[in-house]
Amino acid sequence: MKKKVKWSEQAVRDLGVTTNLPTACSVLALGTVKGYEMAAQGEFPVPVLRLGRKYVVPVAGLLAALGLEPTPTEDLAQSA
C-alpha cells in the first residue's frame, strides 16, 4: 500500500510551474487511475495540458483549486 503524502502549501509551490498528473492527483487526494480517467474525459478538476501521450498540470491550477493565490510567475503559467 502506498503511503499518503500530506501536501503543504510550500510543497505544492515547490513543484515549480508544472507537474505531472500522478503528482497532481496526489495533491488533490485523487487516485491515479481515476485521475487519468478524468483527464482523458476532460473532467479533471484543474486544467490539464495534453502533450503527446503525456499530461502536464500547471501548478497555478492546483493552487487555485486549493484556494491559494498563485505568485505572478505561477499565474503566468496558468494563462499559457
Side-chain angles (χ1 to χ4, degrees), residues 1-71:
M1 178 186 263
K2 275 188 169 182
K3 183 179 177 185
K4 290 189 178 184
V5 177
K6 290 187 180 181
W7 287 92
S8 67
E9 177 180 348
Q10 191 58 50
V12 175
R13 291 185 188 281
D14 287 347
L15 291 172
V17 176
T18 63
T19 191
N20 60 33
L21 194 65
T23 300
C25 289
S26 177
V27 170
L28 297 171
L30 290 172
T32 305
V33 172
K34 183 66 174 175
Y36 274 102
E37 289 173 359
M38 293 172 78
Q41 296 170 359
E43 298 175 357
F44 200 74
V46 300
V48 176
L49 306 171
R50 180 81 189 243
L51 303 175
R53 296 177 56 192
K54 189 175 183 181
Y55 290 105
V56 178
V57 181
V59 171
L62 288 174
L63 292 169
L66 297 171
L68 302 170
E69 293 291 323
T71 64

